[in-house]
Amino acid sequence: MIANSTIASQNNVELALHCYKAEDYRKALHFYGKAIQNAFKKFANREIIECLSKIESIIGQHNITVSKSKHARWVAMGGTAELALGFPERAESEFNRALDLLGFRQPRSKMGYITKTLVEAVLQLRNRYLPSLRKRVPDRRVKDVHLAAMIMERQFVVYFYLKKMEGLFYSALASTNLSEATQDDTVTLSRSYANIGNVFAGIPAYRLSSSYLRRAKKVAENLNDDGAWAWYHLAGGMCLAQFGDWQGHTQAMSKCQQSAIAHGDRRRWEEATSVKSIAGFLSGELEQASDLSNDYSKILDSGFRRGVTQTQLWGLCMWLMSAIVQGEFTLANSLDKRLKKLIDGSSDPIDPVNVLEANSSFALLSLRNEETIEAFEYLTMAAKEIAIWGRPTNWRSIVGCFHYCEATLRLWYQLKVEGRESYFKETQRRLNSAIYLLKQHANIYDIAIPRYRLVAGWYESMLENEDASHTHWIKGLEFAKKFNMKFDTCLLLLALDTSLSNESLSKATHKDYSSELLSEGKKLYDLARFREWRNI
């Protein structure tokens, strides 16, 4: 089917060019329209953008009129292509333009979003509890409403990447309300329900999240559409990870990968694989490391073939962090060079989370090579991204924040040893900010508590506040065990074991942690990195 779409798209572009040269601009517009639709079916994003550019040129220069509905559909396809290529700002602009054409003007200010979100929330409550008051939109408007709902649902993803929290809930509610107004089961409706489920999971509100995810699943079942299933499993899996259900998360991501492949949606496969690997870091399933390395390579290759910098960054950042965690430093140094080359040579926008992950990894490797000032410079770049955030945006940034905290903590200690006073004071200020950011994550997501308590305990220990450090580690250990986070459990046991062995505390207490560490940490003992954590 995709091969047929490719041939059809090429033929239509050739016909459009022929008509354009013959100055039959209306027919040229017709064939470019067909070409953009075929390109959309096969996820040929750059081709979509090129065709849209030709369409806009014909409409603007040759005074050719086209229905607003058709024009909006083409513009929306262009916005979807920009989003897939990693340009959320451009996607937002195109989506807003498409909605304006349809008569659905989006808010342009933070207060506008808040006001419209309240209106949409009231409508959603009415739809839930007084469904008899809901009326179907007129038949003549159904197609436009379906399209507007689809665009607003895509806006949800845009706002997620742009960290526009005020737009996130609005777009999820608006797309759901519009989809429900048609009284049709659609892929957009299923995705919209899943998006609301994700928003509630981030609060976190487990019951409301589960309720909307069940609705998303029901619509996906009714449609039996691979695209709907891929998005449901992706959203559902991310929610499960936030609540520490690692097994359920892994199963959901595997199903998402299967549905995405069946649907031909490479982007969704890349997202599922990336999220699956992040959860692997948090759950501590180190035995999956070799499988994940294969996935990182596949993500990287996929992004390279499609020319998408963002996808390549997903693969390289996660692969590099994985290599560092496992102590595979020869591989890490090789990946370090590839990642620096990609970032330095890219003119595309880079996700702040990837910037944080990359520079934290660069700093850790610099510290291993005793390049203190280089590490300071990398962490300076990472600190700039944290300043832009201002607050946690989602649970997936927990891993990057932890690596940043660890690198900053190691640098702070090294600068103290070397007596570099000016660097030391600035690094201590950053360290306090970094630990505070990780604490903010922990206040929202319970799965972040073990990492926050681990880092905060290390910091207190270095300040020789042993009682405070033990309190942090014991509380962190409680949550690590609660969520079956093997990696965190071992690191916290290691911290307690190492600290208590140096103190004149109860031998029985020390023995409890030591024996448990030996039982839980068999795999960690074989890692080169284990010795570094012991000596932190």
Side-chain angles (χ1 to χ4, degrees):
M1 177 178 150
I2 289 177
N4 291 336
S5 296
T6 304
I7 295 168
S9 183
Q10 291 171 345
N11 290 340
N12 283 314
V13 169
E14 290 171 5
L15 287 168
L17 284 169
H18 176 76
C19 293
Y20 188 84
K21 288 176 182 178
E23 297 185 2
D24 190 344
Y25 302 119
R26 190 168 295 281
K27 276 193 176 180
L29 189 66
H30 168 75
F31 285 117
Y32 274 128
K34 292 185 73 173
I36 202 172
Q37 288 173 338
N38 286 316
F40 188 75
K41 290 178 184 176
K42 64 185 177 71
F43 305 98
N45 299 305
R46 297 190 188 280
E47 189 176 328
I48 291 170
I49 293 168
E50 288 173 8
C51 288
L52 181 61
S53 176
K54 298 291 187 183
I55 287 170
E56 298 295 353
S57 177
I58 292 171
I59 292 173
Q61 293 180 17
H62 301 289
N63 199 27
I64 303 296
T65 57
V66 62
S67 73
K68 288 185 176 182
S69 179
K70 185 180 289 187
H71 192 184
R73 189 171 296 277
W74 292 335
V75 174
M77 289 177 183
T80 302
E82 295 285 10
L83 179 58
L85 290 171
F87 298 99
E89 290 91 351
R90 295 183 197 172
E92 182 183 27
S93 176
E94 293 293 67
F95 286 146
N96 284 339
R97 192 158 68 93
L99 288 168
D100 285 345
L101 285 166
L102 293 170
F104 293 90
R105 184 170 172 78
Q106 291 289 82
R108 295 294 196 266
S109 67
K110 185 173 285 190
M111 184 54 66
Y113 277 110
I114 292 171
T115 303
K116 284 209 167 188
T117 298
L118 291 172
V119 172
E120 296 296 338
V122 170
L123 285 174
Q124 184 57 204
L125 286 170
R126 185 202 66 182
N127 292 348
R128 293 278 70 77
Y129 300 107
L130 297 169
S132 61
L133 297 179
R134 187 173 64 195
K135 294 181 180 179
R136 189 175 188 271
V137 296
D139 290 342
R140 60 184 173 80
R141 288 283 289 163
V142 167
K143 284 187 178 180
D144 285 355
V145 171
H146 275 312
L147 178 58
M150 185 275 286
I151 295 169
M152 288 184 182
E153 190 279 322
R154 295 293 189 275
Q155 287 276 49
F156 177 88
V157 184
V158 169
Y159 293 138
F160 177 83
Y161 283 122
L162 293 178
K163 314 295 186 290
K164 279 193 175 181
M165 308 311 289
E166 67 273 11
L168 207 61
F169 202 21
Y170 163 73
S171 57
L173 286 168
S175 63
T176 300
N177 288 333
L178 283 173
S179 294
E180 289 181 339
T182 66
Q183 297 183 9
D184 297 325
D185 279 347
T186 62
V187 173
T188 297
L189 179 61
S190 178
R191 287 173 59 123
S192 298
Y193 282 148
N195 290 344
I196 294 181
N198 242 324
V199 172
F200 279 127
I203 291 175
Y206 180 76
R207 289 185 179 179
L208 282 170
S209 175
S210 299
S211 173
Y212 276 96
L213 285 171
R214 283 195 297 271
R215 292 191 181 100
K217 182 180 181 181
K218 184 178 180 180
V219 176
E221 286 174 342
N222 293 341
L223 295 171
N224 195 25
D225 179 273
D226 286 319
W229 276 122
W231 192 261
Y232 161 72
H233 289 307
L234 179 67
M238 288 195 291
C239 292
L240 290 170
Q242 290 181 63
F243 296 118
D245 184 350
W246 308 116
Q247 185 177 359
H249 166 83
T250 301
Q251 291 172 351
M253 290 300 109
S254 296
K255 290 177 180 177
C256 176
Q257 289 171 313
Q258 293 167 8
S259 296
I261 290 170
H263 189 54
D265 189 348
R266 195 71 184 172
R267 174 74 171 190
R268 216 59 56 220
W269 179 88
E270 293 162 355
E271 287 182 340
T273 307
S274 176
V275 173
K276 186 178 179 181
S277 64
I278 296 169
F281 273 110
L282 290 172
S283 63
E285 296 292 341
L286 293 181
E287 60 268 24
Q288 296 178 6
S290 59
D291 294 335
L292 288 174
S293 294
N294 291 332
D295 284 342
Y296 303 146
S297 180
K298 289 175 184 175
I299 294 174
L300 183 58
D301 290 343
S302 175
F304 181 77
R305 286 197 305 273
R306 297 195 295 117
V308 183
T309 301
Q310 184 186 69
T311 302
Q312 295 177 66
L313 284 168
W314 285 348
L316 272 175
C317 283
M318 298 309 297
W319 201 355
L320 176 57
M321 286 197 293
S322 175
I324 291 173
V325 166
Q326 295 172 75
E328 297 176 356
F329 297 114
T330 302
L331 172 62
N333 286 322
S334 172
L335 293 170
D336 172 278
K337 293 174 184 176
R338 290 176 68 181
L339 184 54
K340 287 175 182 174
K341 185 177 180 181
L342 177 64
I343 292 173
D344 292 342
S346 174
S347 59
D348 295 350
I350 298 175
D351 190 319
V353 174
N354 291 142
V355 177
L356 176 69
E357 292 168 346
N359 283 297
S360 298
S361 296
F362 297 158
L364 282 169
L365 288 174
S366 295
L367 287 168
R368 290 197 79 259
N369 296 327
E370 299 181 355
E371 298 168 345
T372 310
I373 302 306
E374 285 82 351
F376 180 86
E377 290 172 353
Y378 286 128
L379 291 176
T380 297
M381 288 184 274
K384 289 178 181 177
E385 298 305 321
I386 285 183
I388 293 170
W389 287 4
R391 59 184 175 184
T393 53
N394 64 80
W395 66 272
R396 291 187 285 179
S397 54
I398 295 170
V399 174
C401 284
F402 172 72
H403 276 259
Y404 175 70
C405 283
E406 184 196 349
T408 307
L409 189 67
R410 289 181 184 279
L411 176 63
W412 175 74
Y413 181 74
Q414 187 61 34
L415 290 168
K416 185 178 181 181
V417 170
E418 294 177 7
R420 298 176 183 265
E421 190 66 24
S422 60
Y423 290 105
F424 173 76
K425 287 182 178 179
E426 175 60 21
T427 302
Q428 183 164 25
R429 185 188 66 77
R430 290 178 189 168
L431 180 57
N432 287 324
S433 298
I435 293 174
Y436 178 69
L437 181 62
L438 202 52
K439 182 180 181 180
Q440 285 183 301
H441 279 81
N443 289 339
I444 300 171
Y445 310 109
D446 284 354
I447 56 172
I449 291 175
R451 297 273 164 119
Y452 159 64
R453 293 292 185 178
L454 177 64
V455 171
W458 276 339
Y459 183 48
E460 293 293 347
S461 181
M462 287 181 177
L463 294 174
E464 299 183 358
N465 298 329
E466 297 302 335
D467 287 343
S469 68
H470 295 160
T471 299
H472 277 300
W473 290 333
I474 290 168
K475 287 183 178 178
L477 186 61
E478 177 187 339
F479 279 89
K481 289 181 177 180
K482 176 182 177 181
F483 293 116
N484 194 29
M485 299 169 77
K486 299 175 185 178
F487 195 58
D488 296 69
T489 298
C490 289
L491 288 179
L492 287 157
L493 285 169
L494 172 63
L496 284 163
D497 176 58
T498 306
S499 175
L500 291 171
S501 65
N502 294 328
E503 294 195 7
S504 57
L505 297 177
S506 162
K507 288 185 178 180
T509 304
H510 175 217
K511 185 178 179 181
D512 286 344
Y513 288 123
S514 184
S515 61
E516 191 174 355
L517 175 62
L518 287 169
S519 173
E520 293 282 348
K522 289 177 182 176
K523 294 185 179 67
L524 277 178
Y525 271 96
D526 296 328
L527 299 180
R529 277 277 278 166
F530 179 83
R531 291 187 291 277
E532 293 188 359
W533 278 310
R534 177 176 283 281
N535 296 325
I536 197 167

